[in-house]
Amino acid sequence: MSYLAQVDVMLKPGISDPQGQTIERALPVLGYPGVREVRVGKRIQLQVDADSVDDARTKVEEMCERLLANPVIESYEVSIG
Amino acid sequence: MTARVGVIVFPGSNCELDARVAFSALGAEVEMIWHAGTSLPEVDLVVLPGGFAHGDYLRTGALARFSPVMDRVRDHALRGGLVLGICNGFQILCEAGMLPGALRKNNGLKFLCRWVDLRVDNNDTAFTSRAEQGQVLRIPINHFEGNWYAEPAVVDRLRENNQIVLRYVDNPNGSVDDVAGICNESRNVFGLMPHPERACEQLLGSDDGIVLLGSLLDHVTDRAGVAG
């Protein structure tokens, strides 16, 4: 089977996010006050061959640990299917 | 004896020739080593140069860490061999887990290309032995992701072990504790964001880089002297 996996990678809470801060400063200028805690991350989409949903999740989580995210500064969330 | 320096060339490296010129001028024998090789020639010092290895895709250094030669660089370090990562090379060493922490985008989101002052906060290492404790060196930076971060407990440990070797006098990028350059616990792997290899000629604005690069070569030749 082939499964569609989506990985969302975000900077860990507490780690400053200069991109988020810049966006947060820009939004009120455009007429959107009251916006807080803007964080910028990235989404990685993969089509993965695996035996089951669980197998696909295990594989993708391993990819996250080894390459897709840097555990020092980033957290990740995997969704399958 | 002549120190042997191996400069690793990744696809996207762009400071490897600067490193070669600088180390050659200091009397070292320099060999360029392509990243795809699975062996390392006999060298005393491995240099990971600046640039954009593998296009810096995904994260700086994330893919370079898996280049075949990196296993040999790790072996070299485990045997006590010297390793120096400059700029992108520092980012690669952090991604590879050979140095602690990670490099984030600069605060202010600007690519920074300018001269900075660095303070030598530990001159008792192979990388800083030619410096006086507290000496200020003028060396250029040239990076977008130089904002070093590590968990507070890791930073504390580095402070206690005097592994924070170089600090910015005026922090340009938001780096935690003004960190510009660090070493590993064994003090044979060094990484820094500034470019000492570009500060080896008065004509180019400063030759303070010689203090750092020359220290590494002294370490190699002194060690050979002791070994007889």
Side-chain angles (χ1 to χ4, degrees):
Chain A
M1 285 282 287
S2 177
Y3 296 88
L4 177 68
Q6 283 184 338
V7 179
D8 289 317
V9 180
M10 298 293 291
L11 284 169
K12 284 182 176 170
I15 295 200
S16 72
D17 176 2
Q19 290 188 103
Q21 288 162 4
T22 304
I23 293 167
E24 196 168 313
R25 280 196 300 272
L27 287 170
V29 179
L30 297 177
Y32 301 100
V35 178
R36 283 180 300 279
E37 294 180 40
V38 178
R39 310 283 289 172
V40 178
K42 58 189 151 196
R43 168 167 291 184
I44 302 164
Q45 198 169 291
L46 314 88
Q47 196 72 42
V48 186
D49 290 338
D51 298 331
S52 64
V53 172
D54 285 348
D55 183 34
R57 179 177 299 280
T58 305
K59 282 181 172 156
V60 174
E61 283 178 353
E62 192 183 312
M63 294 175 205
C64 288
E65 290 290 331
R66 296 190 61 204
L67 175 64
L68 301 181
N70 180 342
V72 177
I73 49 172
E74 293 172 328
S75 62
Y76 61 86
E77 210 166 290
V78 176
S79 56
I80 308 281
Chain B
M1 70 150 305
T2 306
R4 296 155 304 178
V5 176
V7 178
I8 309 287
V9 184
F10 297 94
S13 294
N14 64 12
C15 299
E16 70 274 25
L17 297 180
D18 306 61
R20 178 164 78 180
V21 168
F23 278 108
S24 298
L26 293 172
E29 200 176 281
V30 182
E31 190 166 342
M32 310 306 272
I33 301 165
W34 181 237
H35 79 112
T38 50
S39 66
L40 203 62
E42 283 266 312
V43 292
D44 303 299
L45 163 67
V46 171
V47 177
L48 306 186
F52 301 84
H54 296 274
D56 274 352
Y57 294 144
L58 191 62
R59 294 180 307 277
T60 57
L63 300 174
R65 164 199 172 186
F66 293 105
S67 276
V69 79
M70 285 304 292
D71 285 338
R72 299 289 84 77
V73 174
R74 195 183 298 272
D75 294 343
H76 171 80
L78 287 174
R79 284 195 306 268
L82 293 172
V83 178
L84 171 66
I86 301 170
C87 196
N88 193 221
F90 181 24
Q91 295 162 340
I92 294 168
L93 290 173
C94 287
E95 279 282 340
M98 293 174 66
L99 286 174
L103 282 310
R104 304 168 295 178
K105 290 184 175 65
N106 296 337
N107 275 1
L109 289 179
K110 290 234 178 359
F111 189 98
L112 298 171
C113 181
R114 59 170 144 106
W115 291 90
V116 296
D117 288 334
L118 300 180
R119 194 178 59 245
V120 178
D121 279 343
N122 179 2
N123 73 340
D124 187 22
T125 76
F127 190 42
T128 49
S129 57
R130 281 195 190 184
E132 301 289 332
Q133 183 74 7
Q135 187 177 343
V136 173
L137 305 174
R138 191 167 166 73
I139 309 247
I141 54 169
N142 188 65
H143 61 244
F144 187 56
E145 280 111 343
N147 181 353
W148 182 84
Y149 171 87
E151 284 177 29
V154 174
V155 178
D156 285 347
R157 201 179 67 227
L158 294 187
R159 277 200 206 109
E160 277 161 27
N161 291 341
N162 285 322
Q163 287 172 252
I164 302 175
V165 175
L166 299 165
R167 284 190 174 88
Y168 298 110
V169 172
D170 185 11
N171 191 337
N173 56 28
S175 184
V176 168
D177 202 17
D178 302 327
V179 164
I182 56 175
C183 65
N184 66 345
E185 216 173 324
S186 315
R187 285 170 164 58
N188 63 321
V189 178
F190 299 87
L192 77 168
M193 287 312 298
H195 285 270
E197 82 285 15
R198 294 189 193 173
C200 290
E201 286 275 0
Q202 270 300 347
L203 191 62
L204 299 178
S206 166
D207 60 5
D208 287 353
I210 293 175
V211 171
L212 300 174
L213 305 188
S215 294
L216 289 171
L217 300 183
D218 286 351
H219 183 80
V220 171
T221 45
D222 291 353
R223 200 161 54 175
V226 171

